[in-house]
Amino acid sequence: MKKGKKLYEGKAKIIYATQDKDLVIQYFKDDATAFNNQKKSTIEGKGVLNNRISEHILSNLSQIGIKNHLVKRLNMREQIIKLVEIIPIEFIVRNVATGSLTKRLGIEDGTVLKEPLIEYCLKDDNLGDPLIAEEHIYAFEWANKKEIEKIKKMILRINDFMIGMFRGIGIKLIDFKLEFGRIKSDGKDEIILADEISPDTCRLWDSVTDKKLDKDRFRKDLGDLIPAYTEVAKRLGILHEQSNVSAVNVTKLSSVKKKSK
Ligand code: UDP
């Protein structure tokens, strides 16, 4: 598949056109941002790991009937995905209270929630992705009730599946962010899961030690982000007994190859 012109560049990914109007290429960058873009860095190898981890999770979700935008992974950093009309809402799913929830409501960090909690944030960097109520979604027609009901059902299935998948490899799924989009299917709008699911968008704690294996290592300056993401990939069985360094080396190799062309 030939890569066409750049359509969009976000904080961690770039979207390129292809010859097929319904498909685009998603490129995973090494850039890391936090706190609404106030903290920025480049962490070599992060994009490679997120590409692999997200591919793994989305293809497993596909197998349990959760339709999503992934078509196939192309290489270390790129995937072909379906072009969707993204719903401008970040759906935050929480199993354990931490992060912004604890700060906002004074809840003790680590409180296990009786039921998964779904929160909605408006996807708008200029406004700092503000928390909104479900009523705002209808008032401003960001999505309709039928779509939100469908999305909520999908979210609960995704959460159940992911909790189990991570539990099996000694990881607690604390919280995560999902995005959904619309595609036309037989002339009708259909809602599918979009964006990535990776340690950039999930909080993952080791089941025994509570060690953070996600982007909080960057947000909180804990260091060792690549070894943590590599650990997640290894436990998921998608990186074999390669060292952390190998993901980085492959990145270097691919950039050397490109330059020498
Ligand atoms: N999250 C994300 N992108 C965002 C905001 C949140 O992927 O723009 C994820 C984040 O990684 C965490 C969950 O959503 O797994 C809940 O985030 P929270 O609101 O606690 O974020 P904080 O403000 O603490 O970074």
Side-chain angles (χ1 to χ4, degrees):
M1 175 130 325
K2 244 180 87 190
K3 197 150 94 186
K5 72 167 199 273
K6 191 197 278 189
L7 298 178
Y8 167 80
E9 177 155 4
K11 287 175 280 188
K13 289 179 301 276
I14 307 175
I15 302 292
Y16 296 94
T18 69
Q19 311 92 297
D20 185 331
K21 66 171 181 30
D22 297 327
L23 302 177
V24 291
I25 291 175
Q26 170 167 258
Y27 175 97
F28 285 76
K29 302 197 283 186
D30 282 340
D31 296 351
T33 63
F35 313 120
N36 199 27
N37 238 345
Q38 287 170 31
K39 182 170 177 171
K40 289 185 198 175
S41 186
T42 301
I43 304 169
E44 204 174 345
K46 180 174 80 74
V48 174
L49 287 159
N50 282 345
N51 183 19
R52 292 295 298 274
I53 295 170
S54 193
E55 175 205 14
H56 180 84
I57 298 175
L58 292 191
S59 38
N60 274 280
L61 286 172
S62 235
Q63 283 172 23
I64 60 151
I66 303 289
K67 291 193 180 158
N68 63 67
H69 73 169
L70 179 71
V71 177
K72 72 181 278 239
R73 185 170 62 83
L74 280 178
N75 54 45
M76 297 298 282
R77 285 188 183 270
E78 293 173 326
Q79 309 180 338
I80 302 179
I81 57 168
K82 290 181 185 157
L83 180 63
V84 302
E85 179 200 341
I86 202 86
I87 294 173
I89 309 292
E90 297 195 339
F91 297 84
I92 308 287
V93 192
R94 301 181 184 274
N95 297 307
V96 175
T98 193
S100 66
L101 173 67
T102 54
K103 289 186 206 114
R104 212 184 320 124
L105 301 179
I107 308 291
E108 195 183 338
D109 192 72
T111 306
V112 177
L113 304 174
K114 284 205 180 80
E115 298 283 333
L117 175 65
I118 303 176
E119 292 179 333
Y120 310 97
C121 294
L122 179 64
K123 235 174 105 62
D124 187 328
D125 282 342
N126 293 328
L127 299 175
D129 297 341
L131 182 72
I132 54 168
E134 194 174 313
E135 283 71 17
H136 290 100
I137 301 178
Y138 309 133
F140 302 108
E141 298 183 337
W142 291 314
N144 64 40
K145 283 201 172 151
K146 214 173 140 202
E147 289 174 326
I148 294 299
E149 286 315 313
K150 166 102 200 277
I151 288 173
K152 281 201 230 170
K153 280 193 188 136
M154 288 171 83
I155 287 178
L156 295 179
R157 288 196 63 215
I158 294 167
N159 188 41
D160 277 349
F161 174 80
M162 284 179 46
I163 289 177
M165 177 185 74
F166 281 116
R167 187 182 288 144
I169 56 168
I171 291 174
K172 287 191 273 195
L173 177 63
I174 304 300
D175 59 25
F176 57 105
K177 182 215 44 163
L178 295 174
E179 294 187 25
F180 293 84
R182 301 181 186 97
I183 54 165
K184 284 263 181 260
S185 166
D186 298 328
K188 278 199 222 139
D189 269 349
E190 187 179 25
I191 300 281
I192 63 169
L193 175 66
D195 200 41
E196 70 181 282
I197 302 183
S198 72
D200 264 13
T201 62
C202 301
R203 284 200 175 91
L204 304 170
W205 296 358
D206 180 89
S207 303
V208 177
T209 64
D210 276 352
K211 182 181 171 186
K212 293 177 169 54
L213 300 170
D214 57 64
K215 201 168 126 184
D216 271 353
R217 301 210 72 81
F218 169 71
R219 294 190 189 96
K220 295 173 179 276
D221 290 323
L222 300 172
D224 285 342
L225 179 137
I226 294 294
Y229 284 33
T230 304
E231 176 70 28
V232 173
K234 276 189 189 164
R235 290 199 204 176
L236 285 170
I238 54 184
L239 274 192
H240 302 290
E241 286 314 302
Q242 291 171 314
S243 66
N244 318 323
V245 194
S246 53
V248 174
N249 282 346
V250 177
T251 329
K252 279 187 182 150
L253 266 179
S254 55
S255 59
V256 170
K257 264 193 210 151
K258 263 183 220 136
K259 274 179 206 146
S260 63
K261 264 185 195 162

